[in-house]
Amino acid sequence: MAAPLSRFISEIKRRNVARGAKYSISLTPPRFMITNPERYKNLTEKIELVELFAESVQMPEFTTNTMPIRDEGQIREIVYDKQYAPIVCTFICDSQMEVKFFFDEWVKGSLKTDTGTFKYLRDYAIDEMIIYQLDESHQETYKVTLYEVYPKLVNDIAYSAYSKDYNRCQVQFVYKNWKSERVTQ
């Protein structure tokens, strides 16, 4: 039997709802940037700018791979593996393109040299990236922590003489796994 409408309204008022515009992210720079302070100056400020300019963030999905098996004459799907799809985040570009440059450098940082050899994962992946759901008071209520994170793709930016919009930089992140948890106040 369906719950009465009055109970639904009461629960919405009591609990409120999670809003898509109430989020924040937290990340650290990769090791190769930290160990090269001459080249990558003001990293703390750049990270704060990147976190602040996160226009949209995608929570990760959890997908299971299944296969059919015959169970007592019936064919059923069973789980045999898990899969973590990349997430896409969109960042507002500042006029100096600091945010875009940060991600360009991060992606290029996976290369050792121009000869095509690559660095170790530990050098360009960060330990974790955290995505927070915020409540109406901007308090963290839920968080997802992604582990061994790095940008796989920094999308192109299309320019147009007729555009009145600001530039955005889309970044696709890959990661090893993720964990979700409620944040208690």
Side-chain angles (χ1 to χ4, degrees):
M1 182 166 133
L5 181 59
S6 60
R7 179 162 178 236
F8 174 75
I9 292 170
S10 173
E11 285 298 313
I12 290 291
K13 286 180 181 177
R14 184 172 74 87
R15 295 175 177 271
N16 214 327
V17 293
R19 308 259 180 210
K22 302 285 186 179
Y23 64 90
S24 69
I25 66 166
S26 174
L27 52 89
T28 57
R31 180 181 293 169
F32 75 88
M33 287 184 181
I34 295 170
T35 58
N36 195 347
E38 308 82 43
R39 179 174 168 93
Y40 301 104
K41 297 179 186 346
N42 306 321
L43 264 179
T44 303
E45 291 174 23
K46 286 183 173 64
I47 290 294
E48 288 174 358
L49 185 67
V50 166
E51 292 172 347
L52 182 65
F53 279 34
E55 182 181 59
S56 68
V57 175
Q58 182 181 5
M59 286 283 194
E61 66 181 34
F62 186 91
T63 305
T64 56
N65 297 325
T66 62
M67 62 187 228
I69 65 157
R70 187 169 299 278
D71 183 18
E72 296 182 13
Q74 292 182 323
I75 295 179
R76 298 177 33 180
E77 295 278 322
I78 63 163
V79 174
Y80 71 89
D81 200 4
K82 62 185 178 295
Q83 183 177 343
Y84 299 111
I87 65 165
V88 176
C89 299
T90 304
F91 298 88
I92 297 169
C93 292
D94 56 302
S95 62
Q96 290 80 34
M97 300 295 280
E98 290 286 343
V99 173
K100 172 82 164 79
F101 186 74
F102 175 81
F103 288 114
D104 290 345
E105 290 293 299
W106 191 352
V107 170
K108 287 189 283 185
S110 63
L111 296 170
K112 269 189 180 174
T113 63
D114 292 334
T115 62
T117 58
F118 300 94
K119 291 182 181 174
Y120 292 107
L121 179 67
R122 69 175 178 260
D123 293 323
Y124 60 87
I126 60 174
D127 292 336
E128 61 185 33
M129 174 179 175
I130 303 173
I131 304 168
Y132 294 99
Q133 173 69 51
L134 307 176
D135 65 12
E136 294 297 320
S137 307
H138 297 280
Q139 298 297 310
E140 299 160 357
T141 60
Y142 175 83
K143 77 177 187 177
V144 171
T145 306
L146 293 86
Y147 299 99
E148 290 187 18
V149 183
Y150 61 94
K152 177 181 178 181
L153 170 70
V154 178
N155 279 359
D156 60 340
I157 296 176
Y159 288 92
S160 167
Y162 303 105
S163 177
K164 299 206 185 305
D165 205 358
Y166 53 84
N167 287 345
R168 293 171 176 86
C169 172
Q170 276 197 333
V171 180
Q172 185 181 85
F173 291 97
V174 292
Y175 49 93
K176 180 180 179 181
N177 59 6
W178 62 271
K179 167 180 89 168
S180 65
E181 58 190 296
R182 290 189 303 252
V183 178
T184 56
Q185 307 297 327

